[in-house]
Amino acid sequence: MDRRPYTNQALRALAMPMGGIGAGQVSIAGDGGLRQWQIVNLPNHIAHIPMSFFAVWTKSGDFSVAKLLQSDAMYDNTKFSPAPLVTDHIIPEESKKLLKLLPGIKEIEFVGEYPIAEVRYKDDELPIEITLKAFSPFVPLDSKDSALPAIVFNFIVKSNKHVSFSILASLQNAVGWDGKSEICGVECPLYGGNFNKIVRLKGFTGINMRNGGEGSMTLGALDKTSFYLTQWDDLNTVWEYFIKEGTLPNINSSIPSEKGRTWNGAIAVKKEIAPSELANVIFIISWYFPNRYVNWSQKYFGVSDDKFFLGNMYSNWFKSSLDVGTYVKRKYKRLNELTELFRQVFYDSILPYEVLDCISSNISTIRSPTIMWTKDGNIFGFEGCCGASTENKLGGCCPLNCTHVWNYEQSLSKLFPDLERTMRDVDLNINMSEDGAIPHRTVLPFHLPRWSSDAQDSEVYAADGHCGTILKTYRECRQAGGKALLDKVWLKIKLAMAYAQRRWDSNCDGVFDGPQWNTYDCNLYGKNSFVSGLYLAALRATEEMAKLQGEYSLANEYKERFESGRDIIDKELWNGEYYIQRYDANKYVKDQYGNGCHLDQLLGQWWANQLDLGYILPKEHVREALKSIYRYNFRKNFVGFKQKPRQFACEDEPGLIICSWPRGGRPETPTLYSDEIWTGIEYAVATLMIQEGLVDEGLSIVFAARSRYDGRRRNPWNEIECGDHYVRAMSSWGLLEALSGYCYNVLDGLIGFAPKLNPENFRCFFITKDGWGTFSQNINENEQIDTIKVAYGKVEIKTLRFFTKREPKTVMVEEPKGRIKARFVKNAFWLYIKLEHLVHLVEGKAIQVKFIV
């Protein structure tokens, strides 16, 4: 696999986020600087803390040079035309000032493979090669260590000659700042009484930053001999001292700052290296702002805007930023190795780099300010973070846990299933009313009244989100919760399904009628395959759950309702090319799509495929509808096309529009977002295409979407919709499972694969409830070999499933202890292998299946 570095113009909008789950975010930008300081519990995409930077000093012979580890190469291009609705390209004024005062690096090369950023600083005046490896610890299935409010900066230095060098790290004490007020130098009206203290521990030098109030920040170096200056506010004085010998004066002052001012702190680590020797200088920035409050309006839900306390989960583990920093220091070897292990295993794949990049980049949303992990242990999420694409510019957008937007998210549920389950607990045990209704947004704290309404056309109960909650619950049972979780939620699921049937399917025909509020911020009327397709998938999922609970009569009722709805939708809505909406156009004159070819017409099938539920609509019609979507909705450019109300693609860029009317009949006022492009739906449609054999078409949609997020106009780690770091784009995880044909179900101990791309020589990442690793497949003329190898945790397997068109003569299964007895059953193109006993794979171990044809 070729790594894809970002260079030149592709650096302009680059900002790779760092930070833990629910812990806040700081981004490393394409100029090498730190931006988007969102660590004080307020989403603000343009927030900036100045005087926080890195610099290098070198000496070879009698020649010494010092540089700020940032570049202004992209600052003054007057021909640059930014994309609409984004701010990642905006350079903070304080960064511009800094590079006018200090010499910067000539050129930067950026390799971003989330969760690790590699920044290569290139300057022929430096006698060393220097690369920054930055990350916040990220270990799938280890929620705590993936939620640390900290960033590690590992500077790797080498040279072909004997060189002295020093790396300086500077951090401003921003304690007391509100996350939105402008900071000029060290001045901000909210500052005052700020002080810094030096901390010396074994192998660690830190500057702990406070102001007597809540919160703290720490700058640390994993080197006990570091030089330091605990408090400074004059850049010239610090720089002049540093450029002499690469040191600092070791002054430990802790005088509180004047009102309206703060202090900066700096640490320098000086070393010598011989020719071809490698040296590492490691810094840690950690923060601690535990007192999160409700800082968004809930008046829309009938609740007063009081300042309710929520807290942050990390305050249950740590008492200060210094506590966080020293934890990272103690666990550094493990955290570094496991974060790197995930990156290596994930990217060690035959999948196209653009696909890997798409999936991993959107993982970053889990650790953006879009998501909170509150002190009570629950995960909550906005739809996105307010920014240029929203009316408000600060805070979270569209609170909270929106059931229909989160219908598309898959990444959190796969990587951290324990956290995803807290959302289902809130859906079913906190938000659900006694009659089974689930409001599509969550009010906090829990003691407040739930959002509710008696009006049939109210938006409170979203039809798509309600069905999605049933589907997501079944997913959580299959992914990790197993039968124990199903036993807990079963009564709630039955209640939710009963409510859906009373409200939207009162005539018991398996098709939703009446007002159906949904993710397009409108009520759809009549019959449509979008919302009713989700209902069909939910009926199938509930049927399967009923069987597992031994309620076969109820399961049969769900089955009959499903079959009725399936037949009606296919008979009444199939127009020979795709599924349409049928409604009374004389009565409902706006916000419908009618004869349109809609991207979400097969969303229920997307869900059914994920949950191994089979076809909810005829296979041949599913495939033909997907072809029509590609034919009519995919555009190579948008020249002459009016995107409204928001523009998510420039005229020269490709993309997939929400709805088209190839046969005419576009309503005068169609569904609100019909002419927009949403990456979260592009990825869902592409996933379904790949699953249904339209691999080239699906990949071309992914390539098109990611070409818009290539760093030139938009940030690869910030896919927008209604806000930055938008949740829906985490549907991209489905691409991995589609291309590998992955199926996993803890309810029956099944794991299976059916590669859709290069099956003769296939390799990719997989994850289960307790472990993750690599699946590989090799096929030659006489045999097929499938291998599942665990890199982290453990994996338990009872039944294996592989795709093969050939009839195997012999099947051999090797586990770590040797050959294991197994029986196999060939069913159409599926080979099921039932193992004699449950196989437990631990780290570094594999199970291999070889079948000879």
Side-chain angles (χ1 to χ4, degrees):
M1 180 197 66
D2 294 329
R3 306 185 77 188
R4 307 282 178 87
Y6 295 92
T7 60
N8 301 321
Q9 296 299 319
L11 296 168
R12 184 173 296 280
L14 220 63
M16 187 170 177
M18 300 284 153
I21 302 171
Q25 172 186 305
V26 182
S27 294
I28 302 176
D31 66 351
L34 301 179
R35 297 186 196 168
Q36 301 171 359
W37 288 82
Q38 302 173 91
I39 62 175
V40 295
N41 305 315
L42 178 70
N44 178 10
H45 211 244
I46 59 173
H48 187 63
I49 298 177
M51 297 300 168
S52 302
F53 59 84
F54 299 100
V56 62
W57 169 90
T58 66
K59 187 174 184 180
S60 178
D62 295 328
F63 177 76
S64 65
V65 62
K67 298 259 185 174
L68 183 71
L69 289 173
Q70 290 177 220
S71 172
D72 63 1
M74 295 292 109
Y75 283 11
D76 299 317
N77 186 346
T78 57
K79 295 181 180 180
F80 171 66
S81 178
L85 307 181
V86 295
T87 58
D88 293 281
H89 62 281
I90 295 176
I91 304 159
E93 289 300 316
E94 290 291 321
S95 292
K96 294 179 181 179
K97 289 179 184 178
L98 189 62
L99 276 162
K100 287 179 180 178
L101 296 170
L102 304 180
I105 293 293
K106 291 180 180 178
E107 185 181 348
I108 280 177
E109 187 176 276
F110 196 112
V111 174
E113 295 174 349
Y114 195 81
I116 296 174
E118 291 184 12
V119 185
R120 300 166 185 166
Y121 307 96
K122 296 188 173 183
D123 196 311
D124 53 15
E125 292 184 5
L126 293 175
I128 60 174
E129 294 180 26
I130 179 169
T131 299
L132 166 63
K133 175 186 171 184
F135 66 96
S136 292
F138 185 84
V139 187
L141 304 178
D142 186 338
S143 300
K144 176 183 176 180
D145 280 344
S146 301
L148 303 175
I151 309 171
V152 174
F153 302 88
N154 180 5
F155 291 92
I156 304 161
V157 177
K158 66 178 181 178
S159 178
N160 58 8
K161 62 178 73 174
H162 189 279
V163 176
S164 297
F165 76 93
S166 178
I167 306 291
L168 177 144
S170 173
L171 180 67
Q172 182 165 112
N173 181 340
V175 181
W177 179 54
D178 60 0
K180 60 184 179 180
S181 299
E182 184 179 5
I183 307 170
C184 297
V186 295
E187 297 182 350
C188 176
L190 299 174
Y191 284 158
N194 295 65
F195 62 94
N196 302 340
K197 287 187 175 181
I198 194 71
V199 177
R200 291 281 203 178
L201 302 171
K202 183 179 181 181
F204 180 85
T205 299
I207 298 177
N208 189 225
M209 303 178 174
R210 298 180 176 273
N211 78 343
E214 63 181 55
S216 63
M217 300 169 68
T218 295
L219 171 65
L222 300 192
D223 191 302
K224 65 179 181 179
T225 61
S226 306
F227 299 90
Y228 59 87
L229 184 56
T230 55
Q231 299 191 163
W232 64 271
D233 60 3
D234 180 69
L235 180 63
N236 288 332
T237 300
V238 173
W239 191 251
E240 290 301 318
Y241 199 100
F242 178 65
I243 65 175
K244 290 179 182 177
E245 294 295 334
T247 62
L248 294 171
N250 287 356
I251 297 175
N252 182 17
S253 174
S254 295
I255 300 171
S257 64
E258 299 174 2
K259 183 173 176 58
R261 293 177 65 86
T262 190
W263 298 106
N264 308 307
I267 299 175
V269 177
K270 186 177 180 180
K271 293 189 175 185
E272 293 189 5
I273 56 171
S276 302
E277 187 180 16
L278 277 179
N280 294 78
V281 175
I282 301 169
F283 295 101
I284 298 168
I285 291 177
S286 56
W287 57 91
Y288 186 83
F289 295 97
N291 296 328
R292 181 188 292 273
Y293 296 87
V294 173
N295 56 9
W296 58 90
S297 177
Q298 298 191 107
K299 288 183 178 179
Y300 193 71
F301 311 130
V303 175
S304 65
D305 286 344
D306 291 339
K307 191 179 181 181
F308 297 108
F309 177 81
L310 300 175
N312 280 323
M313 184 65 183
Y314 63 69
S315 68
N316 294 314
W317 309 322
F318 306 106
K319 301 302 181 185
S320 68
S321 62
L322 181 60
D323 198 10
V324 176
T326 54
Y327 175 86
V328 176
K329 179 258 177 185
R330 291 195 309 273
K331 305 289 185 179
Y332 174 76
K333 185 176 185 295
R334 175 181 176 275
L335 296 174
N336 176 55
E337 288 177 351
L338 290 179
T339 303
E340 180 61 44
L341 178 66
F342 168 68
R343 188 201 69 80
Q344 289 178 358
V345 173
F346 184 83
Y347 277 89
D348 181 23
S349 172
I350 64 93
L351 299 183
Y353 194 88
E354 293 89 344
V355 174
L356 297 172
D357 180 55
C358 169
I359 298 166
S360 70
S361 294
N362 283 299
I363 290 172
S364 67
T365 299
I366 296 173
R367 305 204 294 177
S368 74
T370 295
I371 292 178
M372 299 176 286
W373 193 1
T374 53
K375 190 170 184 177
D376 64 3
N378 286 302
I379 284 285
F380 300 100
F382 300 100
E383 292 182 22
C385 299
C386 290
S389 62
T390 59
E391 183 177 347
N392 297 321
K393 305 308 175 189
L394 293 173
C397 179
C398 310
L400 199 61
N401 286 23
C402 178
T403 58
H404 54 66
V405 171
W406 282 83
N407 265 359
Y408 299 79
E409 173 272 319
Q410 299 295 327
S411 302
L412 179 65
S413 71
K414 304 298 181 175
L415 294 165
F416 302 100
D418 58 322
L419 301 185
E420 181 80 36
R421 285 200 301 276
T422 72
M423 301 184 81
R424 299 295 80 75
D425 182 61
V426 171
D427 289 337
L428 300 176
N429 297 318
I430 304 296
N431 285 344
M432 181 187 282
S433 65
E434 291 183 358
D435 65 350
I438 306 172
H440 81 263
R441 298 193 188 278
T442 297
V443 177
L444 290 181
F446 291 151
H447 69 261
L448 296 175
R450 298 300 89 191
W451 193 27
S452 63
S453 173
D454 294 328
Q456 281 298 301
D457 61 352
S458 167
E459 70 171 274
V460 172
Y461 308 110
D464 57 344
H466 189 95
C467 292
T469 300
I470 295 171
L471 291 164
K472 286 177 280 193
T473 304
Y474 185 43
R475 178 190 63 192
E476 267 63 271
C477 293
R478 287 170 55 95
Q479 178 65 24
K483 187 64 163 56
L485 176 59
L486 180 55
D487 290 342
K488 281 184 178 181
V489 301
W490 177 232
L491 292 178
K492 295 286 187 176
I493 290 298
K494 289 196 292 184
L495 194 62
M497 179 55 78
Y499 177 85
Q501 292 174 329
R502 287 195 309 273
R503 181 177 179 123
W504 294 295
D505 185 21
S506 58
N507 64 355
C508 305
D509 66 352
V511 181
F512 274 8
D513 299 301
Q516 304 155 48
W517 191 266
N518 61 83
T519 198
Y520 295 97
D521 295 335
C522 68
N523 274 308
L524 289 175
Y525 291 88
K527 296 180 174 68
N528 67 86
S529 65
F530 159 38
V531 181
S532 286
L534 286 167
Y535 177 42
L536 294 181
L539 283 167
R540 278 287 295 114
T542 316
E543 176 193 345
E544 293 300 320
M545 287 186 273
K547 291 176 184 176
L548 289 165
Q549 296 302 99
E551 298 191 31
Y552 299 106
S553 176
L554 183 60
N556 194 54
E557 290 179 22
Y558 293 139
K559 180 181 179 181
E560 290 178 357
R561 188 82 64 102
F562 160 76
E563 289 175 344
S564 171
R566 176 196 61 197
D567 294 345
I568 291 171
I569 288 174
D570 195 60
K571 179 180 179 181
E572 297 188 20
L573 303 185
W574 178 250
N575 72 354
E577 288 187 291
Y578 52 88
Y579 290 97
I580 61 173
Q581 176 199 14
R582 293 200 183 276
Y583 68 104
D584 187 342
N586 294 319
K587 186 175 182 180
Y588 307 109
V589 297
K590 66 175 186 176
D591 294 335
Q592 310 302 302
Y593 66 88
N595 290 323
C597 181
H598 201 286
L599 292 190
D600 266 335
Q601 63 182 281
L602 297 172
L603 185 63
Q605 189 62 61
W606 179 72
W607 264 107
N609 284 2
Q610 290 182 62
L611 301 178
D612 221 18
L613 297 172
Y615 283 95
I616 63 168
L617 293 167
K619 179 179 181 179
E620 62 274 15
H621 288 176
V622 169
R623 185 178 172 88
E624 187 60 36
L626 289 169
K627 289 180 179 179
S628 297
I629 286 173
Y630 190 77
R631 183 185 309 123
Y632 297 129
N633 295 50
F634 184 69
R635 297 181 63 97
K636 294 182 179 179
N637 63 68
F638 288 88
V639 175
F641 184 92
K642 178 66 175 176
Q643 299 174 57
K644 57 183 180 181
R646 298 166 298 190
Q647 183 183 350
F648 292 121
C650 296
E651 280 195 340
D652 61 340
E653 294 176 320
L656 199 63
I657 57 172
I658 297 291
C659 195
S660 67
W661 284 266
R663 297 186 176 189
R666 176 182 171 123
E668 185 175 341
T669 307
T671 50
L672 180 59
Y673 308 112
S674 296
D675 300 317
E676 292 188 351
I677 303 101
W678 296 354
T679 60
I681 296 183
E682 287 180 300
Y683 299 144
V685 170
T687 295
L688 187 54
M689 287 181 176
I690 292 166
Q691 290 169 334
E692 297 302 320
L694 303 175
V695 177
D696 291 342
E697 292 88 339
L699 289 177
S700 68
I701 292 171
V702 177
F703 297 160
R706 290 306 292 176
S707 73
R708 303 195 303 268
Y709 286 87
D710 65 354
R712 298 173 187 275
R713 291 169 171 161
R714 299 175 192 83
N715 184 3
W717 298 280
N718 176 24
E719 294 193 12
I720 65 168
E721 195 187 302
C722 187
D724 295 297
H725 304 290
Y726 201 75
V727 163
R728 200 188 314 265
M730 286 194 283
S731 64
S732 59
W733 187 267
L735 296 167
L736 176 69
E737 298 192 355
L739 287 164
S740 63
Y742 181 60
C743 177
Y744 177 66
N745 185 1
V746 300
L747 291 165
D748 54 18
L750 172 71
I751 187 169
F753 298 87
K756 295 292 195 298
L757 193 68
N758 195 28
E760 294 78 18
N761 183 24
F762 186 86
R763 186 177 65 260
C764 81
F765 177 87
F766 76 92
I767 188 166
T768 69
K769 75 180 184 75
D770 295 315
W772 42 266
T774 299
F775 165 74
S776 61
Q777 177 174 287
N778 297 99
I779 301 175
N780 58 37
E781 184 179 351
N782 300 315
E783 65 181 13
Q784 177 172 322
I785 301 174
D786 294 280
T787 305
I788 299 171
K789 184 174 182 179
V790 177
Y792 172 87
K794 63 180 182 179
V795 174
E796 296 181 340
I797 303 171
K798 180 63 176 177
T799 303
L800 295 153
R801 187 179 80 180
F802 301 109
F803 181 87
T804 178
K805 295 180 180 180
R806 302 182 295 180
E807 192 71 34
K809 297 177 181 177
T810 305
V811 176
M812 294 176 288
V813 182
E814 292 280 348
E815 66 161 322
K817 295 179 181 179
R819 185 166 296 181
I820 177 175
K821 290 183 179 180
R823 56 189 178 89
F824 67 92
V825 177
K826 183 73 162 49
N827 179 7
F829 294 137
W830 294 107
L831 179 67
Y832 287 87
I833 303 167
K834 298 186 180 297
L835 305 178
E836 180 186 40
H837 59 255
L838 188 68
V839 171
H840 302 266
L841 298 178
V842 297
E843 294 173 7
K845 301 300 182 180
I847 187 170
Q848 185 178 87
V849 178
K850 179 188 294 186
F851 44 97
I852 300 171
V853 296

